[in-house]
Amino acid sequence: MSGRVARLFESSAFITALRLAGAGAGFCAQLLLARKLGAAELGLFYAVTSLVAVLGLVGAQGYPGVATRFIARYRDRLPLQRRFLRSAIASAAVGAAILAGALVAAAFLPLPVSDSLRLGLLMGAACLPFVVAINLAGEIAAAKRRFDIAYVFESLARPVLFLGAVLALVASGLAMSGAGVIALFFAITAFVALLQAVFARRLVPPGPVAPSAPRLARRWRGEARAAIIVALFLSAFADVAIVIAAPLMGKVDTAVFGLCLKLSFLVGFLVQAAHHVAGPEIAEARLLGDAARLRAAVVRAVMLPAAGTLLATLAALALGGFALSLFGADFAEGGPVLAILVAAQAVRALAGPSVTMLNLAGAQGRNAAFCVVALVALVLGSLALVPPFGAVGAAAAVLLAILVWQIAAAIALRRAGEAGTDAISLLLARRAAGTAASPVTAP
């Protein structure tokens, strides 16, 4: 095993273990909040934090989605890399300021909403720049292969600190409210963002910056903004699905669906982490035209998450109802919902890093188009399946949307002449390589 492969394997194992610890902390925090806050206050917490998460992606203006590509491209041209990073940071700062101002304005609109929601929006405006900073710094760190900086702070430190704070509140016997928990969560987010920034700032290489190049800057902005839709679909898909399905079913089904979505996306982080870890390796192999190295990197990005999500699907089928009953009696019948949503993550795992490959091929526009098509499939699927089947129908609509998205990406890769990233393509490529390598016996 080469040193480069060994380092990649070690990083992948490290991130998996780190995420499991963070997921455990997140699970415990969700359990405590579900039991202590009540449905209405928990809904307020979910609504405000989800809104800020979505705006945090938009505020970064898509630069996290193209960081790996341009940092790899400018690895030997550091002045251009510095110019790109400064452009990304400046654009994110402007986006955060504009959206934070919009949240403040929304909080004072003369609408029939609760004071708790208005307070939540104001707290969200204060926290939004920190959320944008975490998004951008994490992707820059991943592109630089500093996976510790990319994942330790957001994926481990934040959920562990939040769980500790919630446990302290429960132990103190103080009354908990949605607004109070929002303030606590945002304070921890700001602290983690500042701590991450101390380490991430060292990743910007010192030295001269390339002269301003309007043509390059327009290209960066154009490709980055096309990546916003992809980022929203990948990172805020749960929030979008809840918004679409909630008006079509009752409050209990909405709660079950929302909780199962969040739990399934914890499983899905295994897929996301594997793709992020493999991203720089895939980018360099593709840039150098090294087909064997590229295929090996894609295989590593598929194997672990595929095995993990398939096992998680089986576990959800067998034990999903019991696990959900820990959150309360209303969730106990949600086992099938959880199993379907975890199966959707298994589809993502088996499809491989297709989004990464399309981004590296400069096909952010196609990625965005596929996300729009998948969103239409989600809407149509929800309209058809949620009224008769409730939360199960909503979960099936999510599975349908992910299938549409991944099939479209696989077809686009093939038409563009890029290496296939899905499990079927990898198996066919391995079989073809084995056939080519087999000795031919003379008659």
Side-chain angles (χ1 to χ4, degrees):
M1 182 182 290
S2 69
R4 186 184 298 274
V5 173
R7 288 195 300 272
L8 183 64
F9 177 79
E10 291 167 1
S11 296
S12 181
F14 167 75
I15 290 171
T16 300
L18 178 151
R19 182 53 187 172
L20 285 175
F27 179 86
C28 293
Q30 296 273 347
L31 175 60
L32 288 170
L33 290 177
R35 288 185 170 275
K36 297 295 182 180
L37 277 183
E41 293 298 299
L42 185 61
L44 174 66
F45 173 77
Y46 282 157
V48 174
T49 54
S50 294
L51 176 62
V52 173
V54 170
L55 294 180
L57 289 172
V58 176
Q61 299 204 51
Y63 279 93
V66 298
T68 295
R69 180 185 180 198
F70 286 112
I71 287 175
R73 173 168 293 184
Y74 302 142
R75 60 176 182 167
D76 297 324
R77 292 181 286 174
L78 291 182
L80 265 179
Q81 187 181 118
R82 296 184 196 103
R83 173 61 64 185
F84 168 76
L85 290 173
R86 289 194 180 187
S87 176
I89 293 168
S91 296
V94 171
I98 292 173
L99 292 177
L103 279 179
V104 172
F108 290 103
L109 287 175
L111 297 174
V113 297
S114 67
D115 290 340
S116 295
L117 179 57
R118 295 183 189 277
L119 180 59
L121 292 176
L122 292 174
M123 290 188 290
C127 186
L128 183 58
F130 298 102
V131 177
V132 171
I134 286 176
N135 289 335
L136 184 58
E139 292 297 334
I140 291 173
K144 295 277 189 173
R145 301 188 182 185
R146 288 299 307 270
F147 302 115
D148 51 346
I149 297 175
Y151 291 105
V152 166
F153 297 98
E154 181 180 12
S155 300
L156 181 64
R158 183 162 66 168
V160 168
L161 289 173
F162 183 57
L163 173 61
V166 172
L167 284 171
L169 276 177
V170 172
S172 70
L174 296 174
M176 297 173 65
S177 67
V181 176
I182 289 170
L184 184 64
F185 182 76
F186 283 163
I188 291 171
T189 298
F191 171 74
V192 168
L194 290 172
L195 192 59
Q196 183 187 43
V198 171
F199 291 90
R201 65 182 298 178
R202 303 171 188 172
L203 300 179
V204 179
V209 179
S212 177
R215 183 179 60 82
L216 264 181
R218 284 194 298 271
R219 179 183 179 184
W220 295 336
R221 284 195 300 269
E223 295 194 14
R225 287 171 183 171
I228 292 176
I229 298 176
V230 177
L232 285 173
F233 189 84
L234 291 175
S235 302
F237 182 77
D239 302 301
V240 174
I242 291 171
V243 169
I244 294 171
L248 304 174
M249 57 187 177
K251 292 182 179 179
V252 173
D253 274 346
T254 300
V256 170
F257 177 57
L259 179 61
C260 290
L261 259 181
K262 292 180 182 296
L263 294 177
S264 72
F265 272 77
L266 288 177
V267 175
F269 186 85
L270 179 63
V271 183
Q272 183 181 351
H275 293 180
H276 278 191
V277 169
E281 184 80 1
I282 292 172
E284 285 194 9
R286 183 181 178 278
L287 190 65
L288 296 172
D290 190 336
R293 181 179 166 191
L294 177 62
R295 185 165 54 254
V298 172
V299 168
R300 288 193 295 273
V302 171
M303 288 181 61
L304 177 62
T309 52
L310 288 172
L311 287 174
T313 302
L314 294 175
L317 283 168
L319 302 171
F322 170 74
L324 290 170
S325 69
L326 299 175
F327 293 87
D330 288 336
F331 300 100
E333 300 300 320
V337 180
L338 182 61
I340 293 171
L341 292 171
V342 175
Q345 298 303 319
V347 170
R348 285 184 60 204
L350 291 168
S354 56
V355 172
T356 299
M357 189 68 76
L358 284 171
N359 281 340
L360 292 173
Q364 287 83 3
R366 288 187 184 180
N367 263 336
F370 298 154
C371 290
V372 172
V373 171
L375 183 60
V376 171
L378 177 64
V379 172
L380 295 178
S382 297
L383 290 172
L385 298 173
V386 173
F389 302 112
V392 173
V398 168
L399 177 58
L400 172 66
I402 289 179
L403 279 169
V404 168
W405 171 44
Q406 295 294 350
I407 290 171
I411 293 172
L413 282 174
R414 177 166 296 186
R415 289 183 175 177
E418 297 287 339
T421 64
D422 59 277
I424 295 175
S425 294
L426 293 174
L427 287 173
L428 292 175
R430 181 178 180 180
R431 180 176 296 179
T435 301
S438 297
V440 179
T441 303

